[in-house]
Amino acid sequence: MPVLKFYSWSYAAGGCGLIAMVLAEKQIPFELVLVDMAKGDHKTPEYVAKHPFGQVPMIDDDGFILYESRAICRYLAEKYADRGTPLIPTSLPAKALFEQAASIEFANFHPLVGKIMLEAIYKMHNNLPPDEAVLTQAKSDLAAKLDVYEVILSTQNYLGGNEFTLADLFHLAFAPSLAQQGHNIMADRGPNVTRWWNDVSSRPSWVKLQADGIPGIKSTM
Ligand SMILES: N[C@@H](CCC(=O)N[C@@H](CS)C(=O)NCC(=O)O)C(=O)O
């Protein structure tokens, strides 16, 4: 069986960072295919034929093509359920609570983090001034959501229950990159958010990924 191909940019962040972490947590062998965005590798007709949005990440699992980082993480977690760290619960109620937590991340956390990334990072990289009013509002809206996290996390270890799941892992896409750029969105949101975030962001797989970059590539972020 051919080894899984993982199409990634060079940064150990975003959806590519999530997949690299799942591959590490599950100890899945893979071949990295570097997508050089600066050269436009992601917009070639060959690439777009596989990923019609022309983005990373993407996987090719023996001819089965899949894109969208969270879908890929779920696929790998379920395909390799019996190895490495369990990342999706199997019993129906626990899985439903995992899905609830994953929806919380995608509906409440990720869109606001996306706004903060746009204003605080992407505009800076493109020599554009951030819209300070939008940035301040997004940070304040996110703080209000994290105050609800504080309530949830006061009675359970993780967002989906007492075990670490993909729902926790998904928060790593951009929050650490923002902290590196001086926007520590997870700070000062209460003791339980702090405990949870310290736990999630100090997992050995994530610490190693940040230190070494995507395996086979030297990270630049
Ligand atoms: N929802 C997608 C987002 C993918 C995405 O936006 N990827 C960025 C890099 S993090 C990209 O490829 N940008 C290039 C482009 O959109 O042209 C996922 O989670 O996989």
Side-chain angles (χ1 to χ4, degrees), residues 23-102:
L23 292 167
E25 291 277 351
K26 289 284 183 193
Q27 298 147 34
I28 303 167
F30 66 95
E31 175 193 329
L32 188 107
V33 182
L34 175 63
V35 180
D36 188 336
M37 316 268 279
K39 282 200 201 141
D41 285 358
H42 56 313
K43 301 296 181 193
T44 63
E46 298 76 28
Y47 191 87
V48 171
K50 292 180 180 156
H51 189 329
F53 293 98
Q55 295 179 322
V56 290
M58 177 175 79
I59 59 167
D60 177 344
D61 188 13
D62 193 15
F64 175 63
I65 305 291
L66 193 64
Y67 53 87
E68 280 297 332
S69 57
R70 287 163 181 74
I72 297 170
C73 289
R74 281 175 161 88
Y75 170 77
L76 295 174
E78 300 233 31
K79 177 165 180 178
Y80 297 95
D82 57 354
R83 78 154 79 167
T85 311
L87 293 171
I88 298 181
T90 48
S91 83
L92 184 57
K95 192 167 182 181
L97 291 173
F98 154 73
E99 286 297 350
Q100 174 179 267

Side-chain angles (χ1 to χ4, degrees), residues 151-174:
V151 176
I152 296 170
L153 292 166
S154 69
T155 58
Q156 58 194 49
N157 293 338
Y158 296 97
L159 202 57
N162 279 324
E163 306 298 331
F164 176 78
T165 68
L166 275 185
D168 304 294
L169 186 153
F170 289 159
H171 291 78
L172 288 164
F174 291 111

Side-chain angles (χ1 to χ4, degrees), residues 105 109 146 149-150 153 156-161 163-165 167-172 186 190-203:
E105 188 274 335
F109 185 82
L146 290 172
Y149 277 45
E150 175 64 21
L153 292 166
Q156 58 194 49
N157 293 338
Y158 296 97
L159 202 57
E163 306 298 331
F164 176 78
T165 68
D168 304 294
L169 186 153
F170 289 159
H171 291 78
L172 288 164
M186 298 303 205
N192 291 293
V193 169
T194 300
R195 167 192 55 74
W196 166 74
W197 187 241
N198 286 345
D199 179 314
V200 171
S201 57
S202 66
R203 286 187 77 81

